[in-house]
Amino acid sequence: MMDFGLFYFADDSGAVETDRYRLLLDGARFADENDFHAVWTPERHFHQFGGTYPNPSVTGAAIAAITSRVRIRAGSVVAPLHHPLRIAEEWSVVDNISHGRAGVSFASGWHATDFALNPSAYQDRRTVMYDRIEQVRALWRGESIDVVDGLGNPGQVRSFPPPVQAEVPVWITSVGDVETFRSAGRIRAGLLTHLLGQSPEQLAEKVAEYRKAAAEASDGAWTGHVVAMVHTFLGEDNEAVREQVRPSLTAYMRSSLRLILSSDLGPEDAANLEPDEVDFLVERAFEHYFDNIGLLGSVDKAQRIVANLAELGVDEVACLIDFGLPADEVLSGLTHLKVLRDACG
């Protein structure tokens, strides 16, 4: 059985300001009314790629207020950017508004510019992330943590309001480092990943390492929970959908490619790529993703992709639906996604 949720991570460059969150809210209502498993929103800063979602607790609270069943999750809380008290407080509010449907996937952060919010945390961001997770877990259980107040006095505080759930559901957001997969298993967290930066074979190997670590940490009682974020748009005909999504998805990939290359190569080297080099990389990525990885095309084709994901060890698909298509087209396509969910679930 495969669970299905909706994931949001839009390129905001073409958004209409007065309509920016209609897809999020109407999509969440559809997910709630049609028994989808979860709605995920990320944390992104200072860039139009993903910048519609700077605070997942805010979007999560909005979703909580208009739904009654679907789970509400952060696709990433960049833990080193925030004090653990703020994370625990905000997500406890979401948990209360939703009557116990909140969950958080934590991330260490990857783009240096994001750390304008907390520059000193960048160097040790991975270690800080795990410290934050354990602090949030403790606060969620009603425990106190050590603090220093404005006068320099040491003390202890706990967060309010108390959450509904006894334990906060936790995932780790990761794509590349197998050690992060193992660490997620060791701390008994779920795993949120995607296939944009790794092959299916690589993902399967990393998931196996994650499962092993989770089983060892729980004495075999739990083998983990793997969620894969996958770009999604379904229709009646594969080739018609290919041409329908090509402009939006290639623009989305172009935006993300420049951000990734800027982080990996440095802004100057990324900027020095020739336009035809970027075009080649984007077109190759689009064709590969459409044919082999994305839930793009007909329901029959998507069923094969879901079966492949299940073989890789994926438990839940987080369907990324807002990569630039008009909201009305995306919302109308959700009926096909429901057919896929029913066929696979």
Side-chain angles (χ1 to χ4, degrees):
M1 178 176 178
M2 182 73 74
D3 289 324
F4 283 75
L6 303 185
F7 197 105
Y8 292 82
F9 201 131
D11 177 359
D12 197 37
S13 58
V16 178
E17 185 174 353
T18 58
D19 213 31
R20 185 169 277 120
Y21 295 99
R22 184 169 76 89
L23 178 56
L24 171 66
L25 299 178
D26 287 356
R29 290 187 185 97
F30 181 92
D32 194 57
E33 293 166 0
N34 291 278
D35 296 322
F36 279 73
H37 195 64
V39 177
W40 302 77
T41 55
E43 176 180 349
R44 282 291 298 118
H45 300 285
F46 317 133
H47 199 280
Q48 64 191 24
F49 180 69
T52 303
Y53 304 102
N55 188 331
S57 67
V58 174
T59 49
I63 295 166
I66 62 169
T67 59
S68 60
R69 294 179 294 180
V70 70
R71 291 164 176 82
I72 300 158
R73 297 176 182 164
S76 56
V77 166
V78 185
L81 300 183
H82 311 291
H83 197 286
L85 284 162
R86 292 296 296 168
I87 300 173
E89 286 177 342
E90 292 179 2
W91 281 96
S92 182
V93 170
V94 178
D95 203 48
N96 276 271
I97 295 173
S98 67
H99 303 289
R101 292 181 282 134
V104 180
S105 190
F106 289 89
S108 61
W110 61 283
H111 206 269
T113 306
D114 292 352
F115 282 79
L117 294 171
N118 189 8
S120 63
Y122 182 72
Q123 192 65 37
D124 296 322
R125 60 193 181 278
R126 291 178 179 84
T127 300
V128 173
M129 178 187 71
Y130 292 112
D131 291 341
R132 292 281 192 274
I133 291 170
E134 294 313 310
Q135 289 169 317
V136 170
R137 280 172 157 170
L139 289 163
W140 197 274
R141 292 191 294 265
E143 300 172 18
S144 299
I145 64 169
D146 295 328
V147 297
V148 177
D149 69 16
L151 297 175
N153 300 316
Q156 287 193 327
V157 296
R158 55 172 296 189
S159 62
F160 292 90
V164 174
Q165 297 176 95
E167 296 284 344
V168 56
V170 169
W171 290 258
I172 301 295
T173 304
S174 178
V175 63
D177 185 7
V178 67
E179 185 53 38
T180 303
F181 279 59
R182 295 189 187 106
S183 296
R186 284 195 288 266
I187 68 167
R188 301 186 68 174
L191 186 72
L192 174 62
T193 188
H194 59 76
L195 280 157
L196 283 175
Q198 56 190 337
S199 69
E201 294 77 18
Q202 290 171 326
L203 176 58
E205 292 172 0
K206 294 173 189 177
V207 168
E209 290 296 311
Y210 164 71
R211 301 282 192 197
K212 179 181 177 182
E216 290 175 351
S218 64
D219 293 325
W222 186 69
T223 58
H225 183 260
V226 178
V227 183
M229 184 274 289
V230 183
H231 291 71
T232 301
F233 183 79
L234 301 178
E236 297 290 344
D237 179 76
N238 286 327
E239 292 311 308
V241 171
R242 186 191 300 271
E243 297 314 310
Q244 186 175 1
V245 303
R246 184 186 296 276
S248 296
L249 188 53
T250 53
Y252 182 98
M253 288 181 165
R254 188 181 305 275
S255 181
S256 63
L257 178 69
R258 289 192 181 279
L259 194 61
I260 293 168
L261 292 176
S262 178
S263 179
D264 292 345
L265 304 177
E268 292 185 4
D269 289 337
N272 288 334
L273 284 174
E274 295 294 333
D276 59 341
E277 293 178 295
V278 174
D279 290 344
F280 172 76
L281 291 172
V282 169
E283 181 61 23
R284 186 173 66 174
F286 170 80
E287 295 296 341
H288 172 65
Y289 201 85
F290 187 95
D291 290 335
N292 303 307
I293 297 173
L295 297 181
L296 302 164
S298 68
V299 171
D300 287 344
K301 173 178 176 290
Q303 278 189 262
R304 294 192 292 272
I305 301 297
V306 172
N308 291 341
L309 290 170
E311 290 180 2
L312 299 178
V314 173
D315 301 299
E316 179 179 337
V317 180
C319 302
L320 195 158
I321 61 172
D322 69 335
F323 50 85
L325 288 170
D328 287 336
E329 292 183 24
V330 177
L331 292 169
S332 66
L334 293 180
T335 56
H336 296 288
L337 182 57
K338 182 179 183 297
V339 172
L340 174 67
R341 192 283 314 274
D342 291 345
C344 297

